[in-house]
């Protein structure tokens, strides 16, 4: 196996294929490639792909970096009987176009605000894994869309050793070096220019301040595994700076919770989404 390919497989920040999530459920619905419901809408000069399932209160589901809708199949399958699920391929990933030379979380958040406007939804809930959760927080900070609740799994405010374990940062940097090497080599086995933008997304972003977090009106569930790439104390930091938040650090779990511990994660997310809570008790 090429070193570059190996890095893509072991980097928890970048994709959902982790060591113990290779067993796939046999879903009857081809999530992420469902021609019966899949649609495109042009937003901010790019075609954005999404699929809808179920009825009721809208729940926007956003995948992690370098993945696509299929990464969230356990969540889509669980929540489609409870919500109107809107699953989307983020810009430059899955079936959605890139159409930029500077991919940012802010741009992806703007795309999804545009999608919600296109669907004419009065308000939504959000469930996002890793980068998807960061995009959800960005949407909450922007306040362009009325958001009731946001479920996040494995989010960070910045990429440094106060927030992310050093081994993960090292892997991102090594992966970035490999991407540059493949571009210089003239390799055409994949779109390395796009990979370069995804690398930079991880290296240079996010840059979310405590003041930014305080702009979020929605209730937020911060979830990580106690053996996540995100440090436990960073999850507490995020929790402490949100006006309305709940915190869940799942024992014996890593960054792959939405797939390798989907049942427990879905039940926790479901309870948060369906239960009213008195946030004044946090103060």
């Amino acid at each position: 196996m090429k070193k570059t390919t190996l890095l893509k497989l072991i980097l928890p920040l970048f994709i959902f294929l982790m060591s113990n999530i290779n067993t796939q459920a046999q879903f009857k619905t081809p999530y992420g490639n469902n021609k019966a419901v899949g649609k495109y809408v042009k937003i901010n000069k790019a075609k954005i792909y999404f699929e809808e399932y179920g009825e009721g209160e809208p729940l926007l589901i956003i995948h992690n970096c370098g993945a696509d809708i299929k990464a969230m199949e356990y969540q889509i399958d669980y929540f489609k009987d409870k919500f109107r699920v809107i699953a989307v391929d983020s810009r430059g990933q899955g079936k959605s176009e890139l159409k930029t030379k500077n991919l940012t979380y802010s741009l992806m958040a703007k795309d999804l605000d545009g999608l919600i406007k296109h669907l004419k939804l009065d308000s939504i809930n959000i469930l996002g894994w890793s980068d998807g959760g960061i995009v959800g927080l960005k949407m909450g900070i922007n306040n362009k869309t009325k958001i009731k609740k946001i479920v996040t799994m494995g989010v960070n405010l910045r990429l440094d050793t106060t927030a992310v374990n050093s081994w993960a940062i090292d892997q991102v940097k090594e992966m970035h070096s490999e991407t540059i090497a493949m571009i210089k080599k003239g390799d055409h086995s994949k779109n390395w220019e796009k990979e370069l933008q995804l690398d930079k997304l991880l290296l240079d972003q996010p840059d979310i301040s405590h003041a930014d977090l305080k702009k979020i009106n929605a209730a937020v569930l911060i979830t990580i595994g106690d053996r996540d790439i995100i440090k436990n104390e960073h999850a507490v930091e995020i929790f402490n700076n949100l006006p309305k938040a709940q915190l869940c650090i799942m024992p014996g779990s890593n960054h792959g919770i939405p797939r390798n511990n989907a049942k427990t994660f879905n039940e926790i997310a479901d309870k948060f989404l369906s239960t009213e809570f008195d946030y004044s008790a946090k103060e």
Side-chain angles (χ1 to χ4, degrees), residues 35-269:
K35 295 179 181 179
V37 302
K39 297 178 182 177
Y40 288 91
V41 59
K42 194 164 186 178
I43 302 172
N44 301 321
K45 300 180 180 180
K47 288 199 301 183
I48 302 298
Y49 177 80
F50 68 100
E51 296 178 0
E52 289 192 71
Y53 300 92
E55 299 178 349
E57 197 169 324
L59 175 62
L60 177 65
I61 293 183
I62 316 171
H63 62 79
N64 49 326
C65 186
D68 53 28
I69 289 171
K70 183 175 173 57
M72 309 302 291
E73 58 190 345
Y74 288 87
Q75 286 65 54
I76 299 169
D77 200 71
Y78 179 90
F79 284 105
K80 70 179 184 180
D81 293 329
K82 303 170 182 287
F83 291 87
R84 176 184 173 182
V85 168
I86 303 154
V88 60
D89 280 343
S90 296
R91 178 182 287 256
Q93 297 159 81
K95 293 180 171 62
S96 291
E97 292 181 327
L98 181 58
K99 293 292 184 178
T100 182
K101 294 183 178 181
N102 183 30
L103 184 63
T104 65
Y105 293 117
S106 294
L107 178 56
M108 289 190 281
K110 186 178 179 181
D111 291 340
L112 299 190
D113 281 328
L115 174 61
I116 299 309
K117 183 177 181 180
H118 168 77
L119 295 174
K120 299 179 181 179
L121 301 177
D122 294 330
S123 63
I124 62 168
N125 298 288
I126 297 174
L127 186 155
W129 177 9
S130 194
D131 284 44
I134 294 171
V135 172
L137 292 180
K138 283 282 191 179
M139 292 176 70
I141 293 166
N142 293 341
N143 280 310
K144 300 295 184 182
T145 297
K146 183 178 178 182
I147 305 169
K148 294 183 177 180
K149 296 183 178 182
I150 304 172
V151 177
T152 71
M153 164 53 214
V155 299
N156 57 301
L157 304 181
R158 55 190 178 271
L159 187 75
D160 62 27
T161 54
T162 68
V164 179
N165 285 303
S166 58
W167 58 264
I169 297 174
D170 291 342
Q171 285 180 4
V172 175
K173 291 179 178 178
E174 188 172 355
M175 180 183 67
H176 181 55
S177 297
E178 290 292 327
T179 300
I180 292 174
M182 297 302 278
I183 291 172
K184 289 182 177 179
K185 184 180 177 181
D187 184 87
H188 297 290
S189 61
K190 65 188 308 180
N191 187 342
W192 292 108
E193 292 295 339
K194 183 174 77 172
E195 294 300 314
L196 185 64
Q197 288 206 49
L198 292 172
D199 293 352
K200 289 181 178 179
L201 189 69
L202 299 177
L203 281 170
D204 303 334
Q205 301 176 54
D207 184 16
I208 298 173
S209 68
H210 294 172
D212 288 333
L213 291 179
K214 296 184 190 305
K215 297 176 184 177
I216 299 176
N217 296 318
V220 183
L221 173 62
I222 300 298
T223 308
I224 66 164
D226 62 359
R227 282 154 178 77
D228 209 310
I229 60 172
I230 308 300
K231 290 188 172 181
N232 293 338
E233 53 267 37
H234 188 57
V236 175
E237 176 190 342
I238 298 171
F239 166 76
N240 284 339
N241 285 281
L242 284 163
K244 295 186 291 184
Q246 294 184 36
L247 174 65
C248 177
I249 300 178
M250 294 178 63
S253 299
N254 58 26
H255 198 64
I257 287 172
R259 294 188 68 84
N260 62 33
N261 199 354
K263 182 177 184 298
T264 301
F265 174 75
N266 290 342
E267 289 172 350
I268 291 171

